[in-house]
Amino acid sequence: MTMIQCISPVDGLVYAERPVMSPEAAVEAVGRARQAQKAWAKRPLDERVQLVLKGVARLNEMVDEVVPELAWMMGRPVRYGGEFKGFNERSNYVASIAADALAPLRVEDSASFERRIEREPHGVVFVIAPWNYPYMTAINTIAPALMAGNAVVIKHASQTLLVGERMVRAFVEAGVPEDVFQNVFLDHATSAKLISEGLFNFINFTGSVEGGRSIERAAAGTFTGLGLELGGKDPGYVMDDADLDAAVDTLMDGATYNSGQCCCGIERIYVHESLYDAFVEKSVAWVSNYKLGNPLDKETTLGPMANKRFAKVVRQQIADAVASGARALVDPKLFPADDGGAYLAPQVLVDVDHSMEIMREETFGPAVGIMKVKTDDEAIGYMNDSRYGLTASLWTPDVDRANRIGSQLETGTVFMNRADYLDPALVWTGVKETGRGGSLSVLGFHNLTRPKSYHLKKVTK
């Protein structure tokens, strides 16, 4: 029997494993979801919303199990308490807007005609979730999909193998029908088979660009709706009038928190020449205060990367940049826990340019390059010089200036004096190779439903 294994970054050993479902069993599971979805969609909206919130509450009751489990699976230090703050914020917000987001759009209700557009659930939604924020990324789709009347099948990344299983357990214990929300353990071939046979009505995937391409290829010709959040190389721009300390604090946190393994983490920074030296000095001091170590130790502030192969990519980008003339400013002696494997010291690089991978390719680790710029136009050119576009972080007290620059950026979200945050009231979306579609907000509900028009001509006697 083929097994899917989670290799813990803590000690390099197998932390959990589960048997791979056969293609036949997977088809049967999706069939049960499709059958159960019809009755689920007929339930009152408020009832569906309340059952989802009960599932969220039940998961919160598992906090003492969830937090160390995450540390073992993907390395986030237990001191940060898991993902419950964002998980709850997103769930509660989509619950609060569900009725309005799904309400019919009434065009006419006269003596002659009734014309309206309603939102209907797609049917069965397939969620393929990533390991970096395994609960928050999954709930972005799961909560509104279930509330809207869809059934959901979740397949989680092997690195966070137990997350889908635990989420389904919590929701089913709270009263969501077990066939309406199911966890599956699938290999890539079976996932592709299910997608290519058109067994799902909508697919949401968060992961690599190549993973997104594989899903698009599998779905080709099925006309299945897709939501794809893929790679990122998010920039920060510190202008001449920025609050320097606030910019350092937020941008360095955005570059290194969760060992830099954030979809919207800050991966490259452009600083006006008047603040450049001070920004670099303060940034190196900020990053140097991390304590790298075992994530189960409450004193640890920076855990290992989720897998040693991910850390290898970051080390190679740093080494290649240095070989091409960059300077790495963080003293590695401050981080004795760096073992050449999953445990990786953070790094700040200067004398970088856009010929280097560290400034062009996704790093997804605790390393960031900083460049000096003279003008807004120069910064805009650099920020747009990327095949990705998820967020951009602008630092200035001037709202008009931020709006003017933001309108010229090829990105899904423009932040001012903020970074690395997902606002559930705003649609989470990207451009270029970051993908397509969008989650959360009213538009997230619209993406998880289909419009249906009613044009009713009334007979008058």
Side-chain angles (χ1 to χ4, degrees):
M1 180 179 291
T2 305
M3 305 293 284
I4 298 177
Q5 293 184 329
C6 166
I7 307 298
S8 174
V10 176
D11 57 11
L13 301 177
V14 176
Y15 175 69
E17 59 183 0
R18 294 290 187 271
V20 176
M21 290 180 74
S22 69
E24 295 77 18
V27 169
E28 184 180 336
V30 178
R32 292 197 308 271
R34 185 165 302 285
Q35 188 66 32
Q37 184 269 331
K38 299 181 186 304
W40 175 249
K42 289 180 180 177
R43 294 197 186 194
L45 171 60
D46 186 61
E47 183 179 326
R48 297 195 302 264
V49 169
Q50 291 307 313
L51 283 171
V52 170
L53 291 179
K54 287 180 180 178
V56 169
R58 179 70 188 98
L59 186 68
N60 275 257
E61 293 170 358
M62 301 176 181
V63 60
D64 291 340
E65 301 166 80
V66 168
V67 172
E69 198 169 74
L70 279 174
W72 278 107
M73 288 191 294
M74 52 76 64
R76 188 183 305 121
V78 295
R79 69 179 288 128
Y80 298 122
E83 301 169 25
F84 286 98
K85 181 180 179 182
F87 184 85
N88 295 338
E89 180 185 30
R90 298 173 192 187
S91 302
N92 291 332
Y93 183 78
V94 295
S96 74
I97 66 168
D100 287 339
L102 298 171
L105 175 61
R106 299 193 180 278
V107 177
E108 180 182 359
D109 190 1
S110 69
S112 301
F113 289 97
E114 181 182 344
R115 294 183 294 149
R116 69 185 189 275
I117 302 168
E118 295 199 356
R119 309 298 313 186
E120 291 200 349
H122 287 302
V124 180
V125 173
F126 189 29
V127 176
I128 307 174
W131 51 263
N132 62 319
Y133 282 96
Y135 285 100
M136 288 199 294
T137 52
I139 203 65
N140 291 350
T141 301
I142 290 169
L146 289 173
M147 290 176 187
N150 296 286
V152 174
V153 175
I154 180 172
K155 171 192 176 296
H156 228 294
S158 59
Q159 195 64 55
T160 41
L161 189 63
L162 305 182
V163 171
E165 187 176 74
R166 184 169 287 282
M167 288 185 73
V168 167
R169 176 186 151 197
F171 279 53
V172 170
E173 287 179 1
V176 175
E178 60 181 9
D179 287 338
V180 166
F181 185 24
Q182 297 182 54
N183 177 68
V184 292
F185 298 107
L186 304 177
D187 57 23
H188 294 320
T190 301
S191 296
K193 172 182 168 64
L194 299 179
I195 293 169
S196 67
E197 292 180 358
L199 296 188
F200 301 108
N201 303 102
F202 189 85
I203 300 163
N204 182 270
F205 171 75
T206 305
S208 69
V209 174
E210 283 309 309
R213 288 195 176 110
S214 295
I215 288 167
E216 284 202 326
R217 283 193 292 267
T222 66
F223 310 115
T224 304
L226 299 178
L228 304 173
E229 187 201 325
L230 310 176
K233 192 71 183 174
D234 290 7
Y237 172 32
V238 182
M239 301 176 212
D240 53 346
D241 56 0
D243 181 328
L244 182 62
D245 289 335
V248 169
D249 186 58
T250 300
L251 292 175
M252 286 302 106
D253 182 71
T256 56
Y257 182 77
N258 202 41
S259 298
Q261 299 165 135
C262 303
C263 300
C264 57
I266 296 296
E267 296 213 352
R268 52 199 174 106
I269 301 173
Y270 308 98
V271 184
H272 188 269
E273 59 184 359
S274 64
L275 294 180
Y276 177 81
D277 289 340
F279 182 89
V280 169
E281 181 181 357
K282 287 175 177 286
S283 294
V284 172
W286 196 100
V287 169
S288 297
N289 283 325
Y290 269 119
K291 181 181 178 183
L292 176 67
N294 189 315
L296 297 161
D297 181 347
K298 291 186 178 181
E299 299 301 311
T300 293
T301 55
L302 191 71
M305 294 193 66
N307 192 292
K308 63 182 181 181
R309 74 177 186 274
F310 305 150
K312 182 179 180 181
V313 170
V314 182
R315 286 192 175 90
Q316 191 62 54
Q317 284 192 6
I318 293 171
D320 289 349
V322 170
S324 297
R327 290 184 294 135
L329 300 183
V330 176
D331 185 354
K333 294 178 182 176
L334 296 173
F335 299 93
D338 187 329
D339 62 354
Y343 289 85
L344 172 66
Q347 192 53 265
V348 173
L349 296 108
V350 294
D351 296 339
V352 292
D353 60 50
H354 275 224
S355 70
M356 302 174 184
E357 284 197 358
I358 196 77
M359 298 300 284
R360 297 192 64 82
E361 299 301 323
E362 187 168 36
T363 300
F364 222 61
V368 63
I370 305 175
M371 286 177 62
K372 182 189 300 182
V373 295
K374 295 179 183 293
T375 66
D376 289 350
D377 286 343
E378 185 182 9
I380 291 166
Y382 282 133
M383 285 190 278
N384 285 340
D385 183 25
S386 174
R387 59 194 180 102
Y388 305 110
L390 185 57
T391 79
S393 177
L394 307 179
W395 288 82
T396 175
D398 188 336
V399 176
D400 291 337
R401 186 179 183 184
N403 275 314
R404 185 173 63 253
I405 293 170
S407 69
Q408 299 175 68
L409 296 180
E410 298 160 357
T411 189
T413 295
V414 176
F415 288 114
M416 184 181 86
N417 302 326
R418 179 153 222 187
D420 192 24
Y421 172 69
L422 196 158
D423 182 344
L426 300 177
V427 68
W428 193 242
T429 187
V431 298
K432 299 190 278 193
E433 290 190 19
T434 289
R436 60 190 173 102
S439 60
L440 297 175
S441 79
V442 169
L443 297 183
F445 272 107
H446 288 183
N447 285 332
L448 290 165
T449 54
R450 66 178 182 87
K452 186 174 185 179
S453 292
Y454 286 80
H455 190 127
L456 310 179
K457 182 178 181 181
K458 298 178 181 178
V459 177
T460 57
K461 295 182 180 180

